Amino acid sequence: MAENADLLALLAEMKKSMEKGQEEMRKGQAEMKDRMEKGQEEMKDRMEKGQEEMRKRQEEMKNQIQSHVESKVGEIKDHVSSCIEKIEDVQSVKREIGEVKGEVERKIEEVKDKVQGKIEEVEDKVQGKIEEVEDKVQGKIEEVKEKVQVKIGDLEKRLSELEDRPINFPSNPDLTYSRPTVKSLTFDGQTSWTVFKTQFDVVSSANGWNNRVKASQLVASLRGTAAEVLQGILSDKLTDLMTIENALEARFGDSHLTQFYRTELKTRRQKPGESLQVLAADVERLMSLAYVECPQDVRDSLAAQYFVDAIRDEDTQHATRLMDAKDLKSALAYSMKYEATKTVSKTSRNVRSIEVEDGTGKEKDEKFDCLLKTLEKLLNSHVAGKRNTPRRNPNVTCWKCNKKGHVQRECQTISPNQEN
């Protein structure tokens, strides 16, 4: 019984403690609820304050952006306005430049006209002065010529007196030579060295000079730029003929122009108004420069061919080529005869036409007919004689294949370059 009472008492206490705990729990829940409500109200107030601040900041940022954009737009408008003003200024400057350019061009034309007029006046004055100077120079030249003639006469007189006097020369063989019988030449570098060398060799041979005397005479004959060559020769070599000739050949020789002269020969054509004699002389001159070391028979044949190719009149050229001349002289003679015959034939036709028009065809000039017949007989006999002669010199050598019987332009040999 006592144990049940204790148990009941324990249960009563437990019940009281549970009730007390429940009461405390209810109080705690009430306090928690109050706190939560207060927290929600505080959170709501904070959120409202934050949203209000956000709206204020957005308004401030919007105002700042709008003001910044407005300022930038104003700056852009100002810049565009300034650019437009500059463009207008540039256009106005361009117009001014165009006006100034036109004015400058007009001024230049005026100055050109004035300068041209001044130039013409100066040219007239210079031409007059030149003519005056030429007259004075010509007069001086005549005076100098007269004085030189007098001096030459005095020198010849003295030479004749000296020739009559006996002179004993030293026995040195280098200094003994016969008295010159041909006058020495002079070379100034303006004429052909090859021509002068040929003339000098002829004079040396005629006077019987040895190499030492020829060297001294050659040195004494140099003038102007030719004498300047001696400055590059050692003093002990001034008596060596070979050294002096080699120096002059290197300075004034035309061996390096051989190909140039050959090209000029190939392209040479008779000029309007140029006679056949002048053409033949020029061809012969070019041949002597272009084919110096060529055999004489080959040179003659080539000269005739180049002369025929250079003839301007086609009929004369064709007829002369058919004649197949062996040298330049024969080709020139035949071409001149052919042109003379052609001219006479034209004159005869003109005379006959005049006679027919005048109604006096029966009256002819006997001398003219006789001359015409004589020329025709001469031409026919010349052509017949040429037909009986061989058409090509069999000793002619081709420079391309080195075979005889034909020249280079008729060679049929194919070169290695043509095969490729």
Side-chain angles (χ1 to χ4, degrees):
M1 290 292 289
E3 291 177 359
N4 290 332
D6 292 332
L7 181 60
L8 289 173
L10 181 61
L11 289 171
E13 288 177 3
M14 288 178 65
K15 183 177 180 182
K16 287 180 181 179
S17 60
M18 289 178 65
E19 289 177 353
K20 187 178 180 179
Q22 289 177 354
E23 184 67 25
E24 290 178 356
M25 187 176 293
R26 281 194 298 271
K27 289 180 180 179
Q29 289 178 350
E31 290 176 359
M32 183 67 69
K33 184 177 181 182
D34 293 337
R35 289 178 181 177
M36 288 180 66
E37 289 178 356
K38 290 180 180 179
Q40 288 179 356
E41 289 178 358
E42 290 177 358
M43 182 66 70
K44 184 176 181 182
D45 294 337
R46 289 179 182 177
M47 288 180 65
E48 289 178 355
K49 290 180 180 180
Q51 289 177 355
E52 185 67 24
E53 290 178 358
M54 286 289 292
R55 282 194 297 271
K56 289 180 180 179
R57 290 181 181 178
Q58 288 178 355
E59 290 293 332
E60 291 177 357
M61 291 180 64
K62 183 177 181 182
N63 294 331
Q64 291 178 358
I65 292 171
Q66 186 174 359
S67 61
H68 183 71
V69 170
E70 290 177 354
S71 63
K72 289 295 181 181
V73 169
E75 292 178 359
I76 293 171
K77 286 183 179 179
D78 296 336
H79 183 68
V80 170
S81 300
S82 63
C83 290
I84 292 172
E85 292 177 357
K86 290 180 180 179
I87 291 171
E88 292 177 352
D89 294 338
V90 169
Q91 290 178 350
S92 63
V93 169
K94 284 185 177 179
R95 287 194 295 270
E96 293 177 358
I97 290 173
E99 295 175 358
V100 172
K101 184 178 179 182
E103 185 67 22
V104 170
E105 290 178 352
R106 287 193 295 272
K107 292 292 184 181
I108 290 173
E109 292 297 329
E110 293 177 0
V111 172
K112 281 184 179 179
D113 296 337
K114 292 180 181 180
V115 171
Q116 186 66 28
K118 293 293 183 181
I119 290 173
E120 293 177 355
E121 293 178 2
V122 172
E123 287 180 351
D124 295 336
K125 292 180 181 179
V126 170
Q127 187 65 29
K129 293 292 183 182
I130 290 173
E131 293 177 356
E132 293 178 3
V133 172
E134 286 180 351
D135 296 336
K136 292 180 181 180
V137 170
Q138 188 64 30
K140 293 292 183 181
I141 290 173
E142 295 296 333
E143 294 178 2
V144 172
K145 282 184 178 179
E146 294 177 358
K147 293 180 181 179
V148 169
Q149 292 294 333
V150 174
K151 293 290 184 181
I152 291 174
D154 295 339
L155 291 174
E156 290 178 350
K157 183 177 179 181
R158 291 180 183 179
L159 286 174
S160 62
E161 292 175 356
L162 292 173
E163 288 174 356
D164 296 335
R165 297 178 184 178
I167 300 176
N168 295 323
F169 290 96
S171 59
N172 188 352
D174 292 334
L175 299 177
T176 58
Y177 59 92
S178 61
R179 180 176 57 84
T181 57
V182 181
K183 186 178 179 181
S184 300
L185 307 173
T186 58
F187 178 67
D188 57 359
Q190 302 298 322
T191 57
S192 173
W193 159 250
T194 303
V195 175
F196 173 79
K197 177 67 167 52
T198 303
Q199 294 175 336
F200 183 79
D201 291 340
V202 173
V203 173
S204 302
S205 177
N207 293 335
W209 294 339
N210 56 25
N211 288 339
R212 189 179 183 85
V213 175
K214 287 174 67 176
S216 61
Q217 290 291 334
L218 180 58
V219 170
S221 66
L222 300 180
R223 301 287 187 274
T225 56
E228 296 176 359
V229 176
L230 300 176
Q231 298 177 357
I233 302 176
L234 300 176
S235 58
D236 58 344
K237 293 292 184 178
L238 290 176
T239 56
D240 186 6
L241 179 63
M242 185 64 67
T243 301
I244 299 172
E245 287 182 349
N246 290 338
L248 292 171
E249 176 67 28
R251 176 72 180 276
F252 303 104
D254 50 7
S255 58
H256 61 286
L257 298 176
T258 300
Q259 190 60 39
F260 170 76
Y261 292 128
R262 291 181 181 179
T263 304
E264 190 174 357
L265 261 176
K266 293 178 181 179
T267 58
R268 182 67 167 89
R269 296 295 180 268
Q270 185 180 9
K271 302 174 182 177
E274 185 180 22
S275 63
L276 292 172
Q277 297 94 321
V278 174
L279 176 62
D282 191 48
V283 170
E284 187 174 7
R285 177 186 67 83
L286 293 173
M287 283 295 303
S288 63
L289 297 172
Y291 299 95
V292 179
E293 300 178 356
C294 182
Q296 186 62 39
D297 56 347
V298 178
R299 288 177 60 182
D300 293 340
S301 178
L302 288 175
Q305 294 178 25
Y306 285 127
F307 171 74
V308 173
D309 293 339
I311 295 176
R312 185 181 183 86
D313 185 73
E314 294 182 358
D315 295 338
T316 306
Q317 184 189 73
H318 183 65
T320 309
R321 181 174 285 111
L322 290 177
M323 194 270 291
D324 195 14
K326 300 297 183 297
D327 52 34
L328 179 60
K329 186 177 180 181
S330 301
L332 175 62
Y334 181 82
S335 61
M336 291 179 64
K337 290 178 182 178
Y338 183 85
E339 279 199 346
T341 305
K342 188 176 179 181
T343 303
V344 170
S345 300
K346 290 181 178 179
T347 306
S348 176
R349 288 195 296 270
N350 293 334
V351 170
R352 290 194 184 98
S353 62
I354 292 172
E355 290 176 352
V356 171
E357 291 176 358
D358 294 340
T360 58
K362 295 181 180 180
E363 298 178 0
K364 297 181 180 179
D365 190 352
E366 295 180 357
K367 293 183 180 181
F368 179 78
D369 289 342
C370 182
L371 177 61
L372 179 60
K373 291 179 180 179
T374 303
L375 289 174
E376 289 178 353
K377 289 180 180 179
L378 182 61
L379 179 61
N380 293 331
S381 62
H382 189 75
V383 173
K386 291 298 179 181
R387 289 175 179 174
N388 296 329
T389 58
R391 297 183 61 82
R392 176 64 65 190
N393 186 0
N395 295 325
V396 173
T397 304
C398 176
W399 285 30
K400 185 176 182 181
C401 64
N402 295 325
K403 295 181 180 180
K404 294 184 177 181
H406 65 277
V407 294
Q408 182 179 355
R409 67 174 59 192
E410 297 175 356
C411 184
Q412 302 296 327
T413 303
I414 300 175
S415 61
N417 295 330
Q418 293 176 346
E419 290 178 354
N420 296 330

